[in-house]
Amino acid sequence: MRVLAWTCDCLAMVYELCQAGGQGFIRRTLQKEDAPEIHETHRWPLAQAHEIWAGLLTGMTR
């Protein structure tokens, strides 16, 4: 798994665009005091993952 892009880790919620096996997904990490809470989307073709990532950054995707 490789992280291609990420949002600032200075906030409680961090998003990462990840790639594995030729597919892309988004990982969301909520930084809690005791332990981080991590969720991942399902896998998409890499081009679609990049589109969804761009939508997330511009507020067009949630």
Side-chain angles (χ1 to χ4, degrees), residues 7-42:
T7 60
C8 182
D9 64 357
C10 62
L11 301 173
M13 188 76 68
V14 178
Y15 293 93
E16 300 171 306
L17 173 61
C18 304
Q19 175 183 353
Q23 296 184 315
F25 62 96
I26 296 174
R27 175 186 293 159
R28 180 185 73 197
T29 303
L30 176 59
Q31 301 182 56
K32 294 185 170 184
E33 286 188 27
D34 52 335
E37 186 177 301
I38 301 170
H39 297 279
E40 295 178 351
T41 64
H42 60 279

